Amino acid sequence: MDIAVIGTGYVGLVTGVCLSELGHQVTCIDIDERKVEMLENGKSPIYEDGLEELLVQNLQKGRVDFTTDYRKGLRNKQLVYLAVGTPQGDDGSADLTYIEAACRNIAENLENDTVIVTKSTVPVGTNEHIKETIEANLVHDVTINVASNPEFLRQGSAVHDTFHGDRIVIGSDDNEALVMLERVNEGFGLPIVKTDLRSAEMIKYASNAFLATKISFINEMANLSERIGANIDHVARGMGMDNRIGGSFLNAGIGYGGSCFPKDTRAIISIGKEADYDMPILENVVDANERQRVIIVEKLLTRFSSLNGKRVAVLGLAFKPNTDDMREAPSIEVTGKLIEAGAEVTAYDPVAADNAKTILPDQVRYAGSVEEALQHADIAIILTEWKEIKEFPLAGYRDRMNEAILFDGRNCFTLDEVRGSGVEYHSIGRPVVNGK
Ligand code: UDX
């Protein structure tokens, strides 16, 4: 099929490249000339496992191309995917500025009948608005239909998730559009859920809100476990073996970050407000997450009378491993609070350091390795469970730090591993090991 994808951000680019891998002919449209030029040369502007290889292969096969020109990009396309950003607006709702702009560009340049497929996460009812906006501004006499095809990709494994996800959701109030989308997606070989437009939009929010709830829930259980002498690892394992609960997304830590959960939970609360319906569960999920992000600093302040002049090594800055994304990363607040408390912070992240430099307080210094960050540090804190951080031997903390005191915000080590190591170890939802 001939497909256009508007927006070469994380969602659009992964979608476009993966659809071309299935054998579809894909043109990706973006207004950013620099990005388009990079992509034409086989360079991915984002760090995503396996993406650049697929991009290069499909460029060579002539199945994917890039343009800033809407007219050229939309020509003879049967499907047009909308994958522009929907950032969080000032009031917590999704900001639809980019969607509106893309709709106008589509309307002005579309010369044939097509189905508009929304990939971006948009409030329930937006697809109907998209249809109205495009129809009201169409220059040529063409017919459009709309469909919703939300993405469930995790950053860092987006390409893998596209081919191995649990399901594909497609929603439309037009049967022909549904049939077409089903055909396009058949190649992925995944179960397909077909539904109406509004339910598809709702599935995306409900899924992310549920996963965020699971994280805030396990964090609450962890905080309680800590106080009553239980171990959250064992609690989560015991809970997760019940199929109705499920074992994934039960890792206690310093809360969820990233471009989706924080934004989507706030957006669904705001959708609730518009529908005149309070959402007390989700409001508390959001509050609990905000509290969880700084829990590690509170632990530090309980352990030490003052952090003034303390040398703190922060290991991991990205909101999760295998990404350079710093959006809503707990490290932003944690480093801010440490600096505020007078600590001298040296941070290390294998990939996100460049992005971090533009966001974290200027006083933060950056190390080129775990070893360098730990050298002469008084306290170490793990904020992101990168493989190299998880696998860094505990003896290395003892050898390099002034005093080996580790606050692990991601429970990277088992308590058994820590016991004989001589490292004073504080984690989330588990007893302190080798504490004073
Ligand atoms: C998420 C959803 O998983 C995906 O389906 C959706 O399309 C976009 O949002 P992503 O933000 O890439 O994907 O990351 P994910 O791996 O889900 O983690 C989100 C956050 O939750 C991270 O900050 C992570 O550290 C945290 N998390 C996750 C936990 O604290 N505990 C867990 O058990 C799982």
Side-chain angles (χ1 to χ4, degrees):
M1 252 189 236
D2 288 311
I3 297 171
V5 178
I6 300 177
T8 59
Y10 156 76
V11 173
L13 185 57
V14 172
T15 304
V17 170
C18 289
L19 286 171
S20 71
E21 177 66 13
L22 288 189
H24 299 295
Q25 195 62 43
V26 182
T27 302
C28 298
I29 307 172
D30 201 294
I31 46 170
D32 186 337
E33 275 178 32
R34 204 184 48 89
K35 233 181 187 180
V36 165
E37 202 183 307
M38 257 180 102
L39 288 161
E40 278 173 330
N41 290 315
K43 290 265 161 285
S44 168
I46 51 164
Y47 175 85
E48 191 59 54
D49 198 23
L51 182 60
E52 204 162 88
E53 289 91 315
L54 274 195
L55 166 68
V56 171
Q57 283 166 26
N58 284 290
L59 274 171
Q60 279 164 357
K61 289 183 182 146
R63 289 198 295 230
V64 66
D65 58 89
F66 298 89
T67 181
T68 52
D69 182 342
Y70 264 82
R71 173 139 314 158
K72 197 173 125 207
L74 294 177
R75 192 164 298 143
N76 298 326
K77 298 298 191 294
Q78 295 152 285
L79 288 170
V80 176
Y81 281 77
L82 261 181
V84 294
T86 49
Q88 184 179 303
D90 294 338
D91 58 354
S93 67
D95 175 352
L96 300 179
T97 315
Y98 299 116
I99 293 270
E100 298 274 347
C103 286
R104 280 168 207 280
N105 278 325
I106 292 172
E108 282 163 21
N109 293 288
L110 194 65
E111 293 171 342
N112 53 278
D113 296 353
T114 192
V115 175
I116 311 292
V117 188
T118 308
K119 270 271 167 204
S120 312
T121 304
V122 291
V124 180
T126 305
N127 275 292
E128 289 153 27
H129 174 69
I130 287 173
K131 187 163 194 275
E132 284 160 18
T133 311
I134 297 178
E135 282 178 342
N137 293 286
L138 278 172
V139 172
H140 299 276
D141 181 20
V142 298
T143 306
I144 61 148
N145 267 308
V146 291
S148 164
N149 174 211
E151 53 82 21
F152 300 98
L153 312 174
R154 289 165 304 168
Q155 276 176 258
S157 51
V159 173
H160 176 270
D161 288 356
T162 306
F163 292 102
H164 305 279
D166 292 324
R167 77 310 203 184
I168 291 171
V169 173
I170 52 179
S172 181
D173 297 341
D174 177 79
N175 202 44
E176 258 178 59
L178 268 187
V179 171
M180 229 164 131
L181 260 183
E182 199 175 9
R183 268 181 48 214
V184 170
N185 284 289
E186 261 164 10
F188 290 116
L190 302 172
I192 295 180
V193 178
K194 283 197 286 183
T195 181
D196 60 275
L197 207 47
R198 288 187 168 225
S199 302
E201 293 167 330
M202 186 65 187
I203 288 171
K204 169 70 197 223
Y205 280 111
S207 301
N208 274 357
F210 186 81
L211 292 170
T213 305
K214 224 175 160 184
I215 297 172
S216 278
F217 183 87
I218 201 67
N219 285 336
E220 194 160 288
M221 293 306 116
N223 299 340
L224 179 62
S225 294
E226 223 169 274
R227 284 161 177 80
I228 59 169
N231 180 332
I232 195 63
D233 290 351
H234 301 187
V235 175
R237 187 150 45 91
M239 283 169 66
M241 284 166 85
D242 184 330
N243 276 328
R244 295 167 302 175
I245 297 174
S248 57
F249 265 71
L250 286 181
N251 297 325
I254 45 170
Y256 58 78
S259 62
C260 286
F261 288 167
K263 166 170 83 86
D264 292 351
T265 42
R266 289 184 200 118
I268 193 170
I269 291 170
S270 149
I271 293 169
K273 283 209 171 80
E274 269 180 35
D276 211 8
Y277 183 69
D278 281 345
M279 308 193 81
I281 296 182
L282 288 181
E283 279 175 16
N284 283 303
V285 165
V286 171
D287 288 349
N289 192 58
E290 270 155 26
R291 212 171 64 178
Q292 197 70 16
R293 282 183 182 175
V294 289
I295 213 151
I296 206 106
V297 183
E298 282 162 19
K299 280 174 188 276
L300 250 67
L301 290 169
T302 310
R303 166 67 176 78
F304 300 95
S305 48
S306 158
L307 294 180
N308 203 18
K310 291 262 184 227
R311 299 164 78 124
V312 181
V314 173
L315 305 178
L317 297 170
F319 82 94
K320 65 169 197 177
N322 305 324
T323 175
D324 62 353
D325 202 329
M326 284 292 296
R327 280 178 286 180
E328 302 257 4
S331 63
I332 301 171
E333 257 178 286
V334 170
T335 52
K337 289 222 178 295
L338 290 173
I339 299 280
E340 220 175 87
E344 288 174 23
V345 177
T346 301
Y348 170 68
D349 189 287
V351 176
D354 283 345
N355 285 343
K357 283 175 193 162
T358 63
I359 299 171
L360 300 186
D362 291 341
Q363 295 93 323
V364 174
R365 282 194 293 261
Y366 294 86
S369 64
V370 176
E371 286 91 336
E372 193 189 326
L374 291 180
Q375 204 63 39
H376 305 305
D378 300 309
I379 303 163
I381 306 183
I382 296 179
L383 296 185
T384 319
E385 67 278 32
W386 285 95
K387 192 164 179 280
E388 67 176 275
I389 293 173
K390 266 168 47 177
E391 290 177 357
F392 191 80
L394 286 161
Y397 289 85
R398 224 183 32 226
D399 296 346
R400 289 178 175 76
M401 295 177 67
N402 291 340
E403 234 187 310
I405 304 177
L406 172 58
F407 286 77
D408 181 356
R410 297 294 185 179
N411 290 0
C412 293
F413 298 96
T414 64
L415 298 188
D416 281 342
E417 281 173 293
V418 186
R419 266 184 202 110
S421 70
V423 175
E424 179 180 325
Y425 185 73
H426 303 252
S427 57
I428 308 288
R430 308 183 300 179
V432 176
V433 180
N434 305 326
K436 298 235 166 72

